[in-house]
């Protein structure tokens, strides 16, 4: 596992890597004030002292700030990535030297074996708390690492895909410890999934391709919170946006948001760019790939790399077009695939904007503290609404906005049967 450990780099290269990693972490830290406030409170309470936390999150600057915050609060933390292409190498390397309570094993472009090696390394610490993005740590503990079950108090899950997996486990009676549902907090999915994915997907596609968005026919597959954000930001940049969605309610919503809605196959024939964000597999399937026009760009923003049929694309002649872009010759036409079909916003971009991850990771920190200090049943646990609201209030305050509050009379009115006259 030399690659994972940066063993092939010389002293100067490592020094450069460390320097730019430190810069990125420091920049992120300055823009994460809510996490800082909660981190200081957790530290003062000593509630995480010597709690062992294994984290599998996209290992980039904002995640580094979360890991450091927990380590500084007294937890012993092991951080690894939740995707082979999402690690920011300078950050991963710099974090190794950042705090005695924090250990890191992650690198961009690792193999499947290296990926699982790193997840298992994180679990070797015998964690009390898991912080997962996508559910891989939890799955490992319930399958190949069952010996760890007794020690695990529970965990937190970051993303929609992970919550779907956890709910399936819970339904089958297989979930053996409580998992805090970070994704469904208002202060997470309304901002991270929508505006975060919206902006970071643009960042990933524009960084990978350097093309003009304005005037392009863009198809967004999936109109959940992420798809809504991507469609909104694409439209804002001047693209002609259409939506493919299987849920009729979401499809009606897309129509009312002003988008054309049609079957993916029909939209795909004329698309310049197709972005998937459905959370489901086999979305851009072989029948769709066969119909794409020359020069179509395919990108995925869903958690797993199974939304675009990359295996089918790989049956065609393939060459590197530029960094992050492969060109396939599909039945005489060129089809471009970004980031190997992995989440384009992290594999080719910088992930969600920092102020948005401030909210998501404030929830992660608060969730980890709850799991470490309170008793919950082995189930998917809903994050307390009062804490969600507190994070909103802190965010408003750190952004410099003041809002009104209800008078006692108004509060009473809102909980009474009183008529409006
Ligand atoms: N940065 C860290 N975690 C992330 C996530 N889940 N999505 C986008 N950017 C991130």
């Amino acid at each position: 596992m030399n690659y994972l450990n940066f063993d092939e780099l010389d002293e100067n290269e490592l020094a450069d890597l460390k320097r730019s990693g430190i810069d990125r972490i420091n920049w992120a830290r300055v823009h994460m004030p809510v996490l800082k406030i909660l981190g200081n409170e957790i530290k003062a309470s000593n509630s995480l002292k010597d709690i062992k936390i294994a984290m599998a999150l996209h290992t980039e600057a904002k995640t580094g700030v979360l890991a450091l915050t927990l380590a500084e609060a007294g937890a012993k933390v092991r951080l690894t990535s939740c995707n082979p292409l999402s690690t920011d190498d300078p950050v991963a390397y710099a974090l190794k030297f950042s705090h005695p309570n924090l250990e890191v094993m992650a690198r961009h472009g690792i193999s499947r074996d290296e990926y699982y090696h790193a997840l298992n390394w994180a679990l070797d610490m015998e964690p009390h708390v898991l912080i997962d993005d996508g559910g891989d740590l939890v799955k490992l503990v319930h399958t190949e690492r069952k010996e760890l079950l007794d020690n695990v108090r529970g965990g937190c899950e970051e993303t929609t895909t992970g919550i779907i997996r956890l709910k399936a486990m819970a339904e089958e009676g297989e979930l053996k410890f409580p998992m805090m549902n970070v994704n469904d907090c208002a202060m997470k999915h309304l901002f991270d999934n929508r505006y975060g994915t919206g902006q970071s997907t643009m960042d990933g596609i524009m960084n990978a391709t350097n093309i003009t968005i304005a005037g392009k026919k863009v198809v967004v597959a999936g109109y959940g919170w992420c798809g809504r954000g991507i469609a909104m930001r694409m439209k804002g940049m001047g693209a002609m946006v259409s939506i493919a969605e299987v849920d009729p309610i979401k499809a009606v919503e897309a129509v009312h948001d002003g988008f054309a809605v049609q079957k993916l196959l029909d939209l795909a024939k004329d698309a310049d760019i197709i972005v998937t964000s459905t959370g489901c597999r086999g979305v851009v399937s072989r029948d769709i790939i066969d119909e794409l026009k020359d020069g179509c760009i395919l990108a995925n923003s869903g958690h797993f790399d199974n939304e675009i049929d990359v295996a089918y694309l790989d049956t065609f002649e393939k060459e590197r077009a530029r960094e992050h872009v492969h060109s396939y010759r599909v039945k005489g036409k060129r089809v471009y695939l970004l980031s190997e079909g992995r989440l384009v916003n992290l594999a080719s971009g910088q992930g969600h904007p920092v102020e948005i991850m401030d909210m998501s990771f404030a929830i992660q920190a608060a969730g980890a503290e709850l799991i470490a200090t309170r008793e919950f049943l082995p189930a998917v646990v809903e994050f307390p609404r009062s804490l969600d609201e507190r994070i909103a209030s802190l965010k408003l305050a750190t952004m410099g906005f003041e809002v009104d509050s209800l008078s006692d009379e108004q509060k009473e009115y809102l909980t009474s049967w009183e008529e409006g006259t």
Side-chain angles (χ1 to χ4, degrees), residues 58 60 62-63 133 158 192 200 345-346 351-352 357 361:
H58 300 295
E60 49 97 6
K62 287 86 81 180
T63 310
D133 184 331
E158 173 89 5
D192 174 312
S200 61
N345 57 342
L346 281 142
H352 293 354
M357 292 314 293
F361 285 161

Side-chain angles (χ1 to χ4, degrees), residues 160 164 220-228 243-261 277-279:
T160 315
I164 291 171
V220 179
Y223 204 65
W225 290 110
C226 297
R228 289 177 182 114
I243 307 296
E245 171 56 65
V246 293
D247 176 336
I249 299 175
K250 290 181 182 154
V252 173
E253 188 185 350
V255 170
H256 284 75
D257 287 341
F259 298 110
V261 175
S277 74
T278 67

Side-chain angles (χ1 to χ4, degrees), residues 22 65 76 108 123 139 183 207 258 393 397 403 412:
I22 292 171
V65 178
K76 302 261 190 286
H108 187 95
L123 291 175
K139 172 135 190 246
N183 182 67
N207 182 47
S393 300
V403 293
E412 198 187 317

Side-chain angles (χ1 to χ4, degrees), residues 199-219:
Q199 181 169 329
S200 61
T201 299
M202 303 303 294
D203 175 30
I205 293 175
M206 294 195 298
N207 182 47
T209 64
N210 192 223
I211 59 161
T212 308
I213 301 295
K216 293 290 186 306
K217 292 187 189 107
V218 174
V219 176

Side-chain angles (χ1 to χ4, degrees), residues 98-168:
S98 60
H99 195 280
N101 282 359
L102 174 59
E103 295 173 281
V104 182
M105 186 184 280
R107 187 148 184 207
H108 187 95
I110 50 178
S111 65
R112 189 183 158 78
D113 281 354
E114 287 164 328
Y115 177 71
Y116 277 96
H117 172 80
L119 285 178
N120 275 298
W121 163 86
L123 291 175
D124 288 342
M125 79 185 308
E126 301 181 354
H128 302 112
V129 176
L130 308 176
I131 300 186
D132 226 353
D133 184 331
D136 285 347
L137 274 184
V138 170
K139 172 135 190 246
L140 267 183
V141 172
H142 282 77
T143 52
E144 291 161 42
R145 303 296 305 268
K146 282 187 181 161
E147 80 279 5
L148 301 173
L149 274 170
D150 279 350
N151 204 49
V152 175
R153 296 185 194 174
C156 301
E157 171 54 53
E158 173 89 5
T159 200
T160 315
T161 294
I163 294 298
I164 291 171
R165 294 174 91 186
L166 288 175
K167 285 190 172 162

